[in-house]
Amino acid sequence: MPDGFYIGHSALEKLSGAFTKEADALGEQLAKFKPKTDGEAIHDGFGFLTESEEVTTAYIDLADHMTKAIQGLQDHLYEVAGKLSDNSHNTGAAEHALEDLFKGQSA
């Protein structure tokens, strides 16, 4: 098929599942990361350095930005997975409609 292409909806579903799996894994890691970077954990972990509000605030801000970035990535992965799945369903429906046309049935 030199002038065309084929989209296999099962391959799209598989790819969608892979994106969802990665997003889930990010969520699991984030769930482990958050408790280790909250204010209380920072104060406990830094010991005498927590006397420096500048150090504590910088670390908490960094952890907060990191958390938001990872959440954004996770949301984006879920969005891509959903779009791939939608595309797969649309491709499958189009294939069935085309089959029906060739069989002489109306859609």
Side-chain angles (χ1 to χ4, degrees), residues 3-94:
D3 294 321
F5 64 93
Y6 173 77
I7 297 175
H9 61 90
S10 61
L12 286 175
E13 282 298 327
K14 186 176 178 182
L15 186 58
S16 172
F19 273 88
T20 299
K21 184 178 176 180
E22 291 303 318
D24 290 344
L26 269 179
E28 291 170 11
Q29 293 301 317
L30 194 56
K32 294 175 186 176
F33 178 75
K34 280 183 180 181
K36 295 177 182 178
T37 59
D38 67 6
E40 187 176 321
I42 301 297
H43 287 285
D44 291 348
F46 272 67
F48 72 90
L49 288 177
T50 57
E51 298 299 322
S52 168
E53 191 63 32
E54 184 179 350
V55 171
T56 304
T57 302
Y59 190 81
I60 290 171
D61 287 347
L62 175 64
D64 185 50
H65 288 296
M66 216 163 160
T67 298
K68 287 178 183 174
I70 292 170
Q71 285 174 330
L73 178 57
Q74 181 186 28
D75 292 344
H76 187 69
L77 288 172
Y78 280 132
E79 182 181 351
V80 170
K83 299 293 183 187
L84 286 168
S85 185
D86 290 348
N87 193 310
S88 170
H89 294 304
N90 292 340
T91 300

